[in-house]
Every structure is written in C-alpha cells, then in structure tokens.
Amino acid sequence: GSCNIYYGAGGGRIVVDSHVRLWSLRMLLRGIRRWRHRRIVIVSTCFTELSDADAREAGVMLSAAADAVMLVAGEAGAERVDDIRAGAVANLAPAIVLSKSTESRALDWLLRNLGRDDIGLVISEEPSATHERLVAAGLELDRPTMEYDAAAN
C-alpha cells in the first residue's frame, strides 16, 4: 500500500491504506492479521481497475482476513460488488459482506461498529480524502502503537 495512517476510534484503531496490485493487498492483509485484535472490520474500494477474476480473488482475500467487509460500491456497480462477494463466499468461513454507495456512508458505518481492540482497515482509492473525512469525524492521527502478535499468521 501507499499510505498507512493510524487513528484511535472507540478503543480500536483505523488503518487507512490504498492498494496497487493483488500482491500488495495480500501483504497488507497479512500484516494487519498479525496485530493483536478482537475483530478486523474492512471498508474497501471495489477495485474497479482489476479484472473480474482479480476482483473475485480480492474478495477471497478480504473475507479470509476480516470478520466483516463493507464494500464501497461507488461507480463500480452491482456486478463488481457481486464479483467480490462471489470470491468472499468461496472461503470456508466467509466474512459478512455488505455494501454502501459512498465511502462517507461506509466510514460512518465503520465508526459506529468499531469496538475496543478492533482493527478497522480502510482500503481507499483516495487515502488523503479518507484522512480528511476521519479528521472531520473527530478522529486524530495516532502513532502506530499496535502490539504485534508473533503467533498470528
């Protein structure tokens, strides 16, 4: 990813990042899972620049890493949301996958549902705009003080 920003929120943390390719998404998710957490909740772009097959693979990865995934449908449309959901349900224990029309609505949902010791991961097409939305919601830039869990995958 290109932008890692940490926020304290409801006793949890929010990490804002962007992705470029599936391999960078895989590395980001692997790193997030290693932090101590109660739940991982992801707000994600619908990966409009990826092929349909790669979008399904992104769905597999998001669902494997998270307890809940909120997709930002935006301009992507229902077919792209369905592609990602199809990948998500391929997991043995898939995450709950929901969608909102805008990132602002998805972030509102995240802020209402993030609890103590949860990690919220926002995969954004425009991390600087996401940063502004979170600051406007009253969150402050925090230092990355997460505890690393060496036993996690």
Side-chain angles (χ1 to χ4, degrees):
S2 64
C3 179
N4 294 314
I5 305 171
Y6 305 85
Y7 297 88
R13 299 264 191 223
I14 297 177
V15 178
V16 179
D17 208 338
S18 65
H19 81 95
V20 178
R21 293 180 174 65
L22 284 179
W23 65 265
S24 64
L25 178 62
R26 183 173 287 113
M27 297 302 292
L28 171 64
L29 296 172
R30 184 177 297 150
I32 291 293
R33 283 193 307 252
R34 291 182 179 196
W35 286 346
R36 294 189 194 281
H37 63 278
R38 185 176 65 102
R39 294 182 308 164
I40 297 176
V41 181
I42 298 175
V43 169
S44 178
T45 175
C46 278
F47 308 102
T48 55
E49 70 286 350
L50 296 180
S51 69
D52 293 346
D54 284 349
R56 282 189 292 280
E57 180 62 22
V60 170
M61 290 189 285
L62 292 173
S63 179
D67 297 289
V69 177
M70 175 62 72
L71 298 173
V72 178
E75 301 294 319
E79 287 183 21
R80 180 45 58 110
V81 171
D82 290 343
D83 286 339
I84 296 171
R85 280 190 175 133
V89 300
N91 287 305
L92 291 175
I96 297 168
V97 180
L98 308 166
S99 65
K100 294 281 186 186
S101 58
T102 66
E103 186 179 82
S104 292
R105 289 181 176 166
L107 290 174
D108 288 344
W109 174 85
L110 176 65
L111 293 173
R112 283 192 314 273
N113 289 287
L114 200 67
R116 177 164 297 289
D117 298 325
D118 287 349
I119 297 173
L121 171 61
V122 181
I123 302 169
S124 177
E125 291 179 354
E126 298 180 33
S128 59
T130 303
H131 167 79
E132 291 175 14
R133 287 182 184 108
L134 292 172
V135 168
L139 295 170
E140 296 182 13
L141 187 60
D142 195 6
R143 297 184 63 167
T145 57
M146 293 267 186
E147 292 183 32
Y148 181 76
D149 185 355
N153 293 341

